Amino acid sequence: MKKILAILVAVLMLASCTALAEAVESVEMQTGKYAIINSTGEDVVMISITDNNNPEMTTKEEYSNGLPNGTGTYFEFSIPASEDGSHRLTLAFETKSGYKGSFETLSIEEAGITLLAQDALTGATPIAFSAMPQMGIYYIVNKTGEDIAKISMATNATKEPEASEIDFEKGEFPDGETIEFGYSIAADEEPSHALTFGFETASGYKAEFKTLSIEEVTITLLAKDAMTGATPIAFGPAPAAEAE
């Protein structure tokens, strides 16, 4: 089973949650790409993007455990290249308390989008835009032989890097499990060796890797006695996209 997890840090941190509108074979498409961050102050339970010209064309994610405040996700949405992408889409979301927000004039573009708290709105718009960041997607496989208690990520370019952490309850990230973990940095930052990734197991074993780059890759967390050198992780290719 694979869990999907995302977290905001530094500029923003996000899990990759790709969703494409249905494309007609051999038709050239244009694609909007959106890094969506939850800043509502509570869990988000649903996010959707709908084609205003074709309401049945909707991509929707429901989060059974909630997408926590400060975390993010990633959406893509495609329409034919010959069609007008300006103000073409509606972005909608709902929080755990029942607060609903929507933005009905989203264009086909690349953008960072922050979902705002109801009491943070300065007008009728429940979102804020920012430049699209550089995104890394990491498929993290636990092969430590025990539960993972915590994972963290920090941006090395920050003068005093502050790691952002995700804590796991017992059994949430057991041996053999895989999670999808997204992280991003500003568009003008150097992506090579930009990050420090760390993890801690239930027994207290801690390890970190200080030269992680912005990329899409599989990272296997190794048991202390399985290390053949100083590196506590192993790299592999990102998994192929699942066939629909």
Side-chain angles (χ1 to χ4, degrees):
M1 183 175 65
K2 181 174 73 174
K3 296 180 181 178
I4 299 178
L5 195 61
I7 172 173
L8 173 68
V9 63
V11 179
L12 59 86
M13 187 173 186
L14 48 101
S16 173
C17 182
T18 302
L20 296 177
E22 195 173 303
V24 178
E25 189 176 355
S26 80
V27 174
E28 186 178 352
M29 307 297 286
Q30 55 178 315
T31 300
K33 301 178 181 181
Y34 312 98
I36 302 175
I37 304 304
N38 175 17
S39 290
T40 64
E42 56 177 316
D43 288 358
V44 165
V45 296
M46 186 279 295
I47 300 173
S48 67
I49 297 179
T50 301
D51 185 345
N52 295 333
N53 291 2
N54 249 331
E56 69 274 13
M57 299 294 290
T58 298
T59 182
K60 181 178 181 180
E61 290 293 331
E62 295 180 330
Y63 305 94
S64 56
N65 295 321
L67 184 69
N69 183 62
T71 70
T73 187
Y74 176 70
F75 276 71
E76 291 188 358
F77 201 101
S78 295
I79 64 171
S82 60
E83 297 181 8
D84 185 4
S86 180
H87 301 170
R88 177 66 179 258
L89 310 174
T90 291
L91 169 70
F93 65 91
E94 182 177 354
T95 68
K96 193 172 184 179
S97 71
Y99 161 49
K100 297 179 181 180
S102 65
F103 182 74
E104 299 177 355
T105 54
L106 182 64
S107 296
I108 296 292
E109 58 187 317
E110 294 188 9
I113 297 175
T114 300
L115 310 182
L116 302 176
Q118 195 166 18
D119 59 6
L121 302 182
T122 56
T125 305
I127 65 174
F129 286 93
S130 62
M132 191 70 168
Q134 300 180 79
M135 294 172 291
I137 304 297
Y138 309 98
Y139 303 90
I140 303 175
V141 184
N142 179 11
K143 292 293 185 182
T144 63
E146 55 178 318
D147 285 1
I148 295 297
K150 180 183 298 183
I151 58 175
S152 65
M153 195 81 83
T155 303
N156 296 334
T158 306
K159 188 174 182 181
E160 295 182 2
E162 180 178 350
S164 189
E165 301 175 340
I166 297 177
D167 295 313
F168 298 94
E169 299 292 335
K170 183 178 180 181
E172 279 191 327
F173 193 3
D175 184 57
E177 189 78 72
T178 298
I179 65 167
E180 185 178 335
F181 186 86
Y183 192 95
S184 74
I185 61 175
D188 59 353
E189 291 187 18
E190 170 57 52
S192 181
H193 299 171
L195 311 174
T196 291
F197 171 74
F199 68 90
E200 181 178 349
T201 67
S203 70
Y205 163 50
K206 299 179 182 180
E208 63 180 10
F209 183 76
K210 297 182 177 181
T211 55
L212 183 63
S213 297
I214 295 292
E215 57 189 318
E216 185 173 4
V217 69
T218 294
I219 296 175
T220 300
L221 311 183
L222 303 176
K224 192 172 184 179
D225 58 8
M227 292 169 53
T228 56
T231 305
I233 63 177
F235 288 96
E242 296 179 0
E244 293 186 359

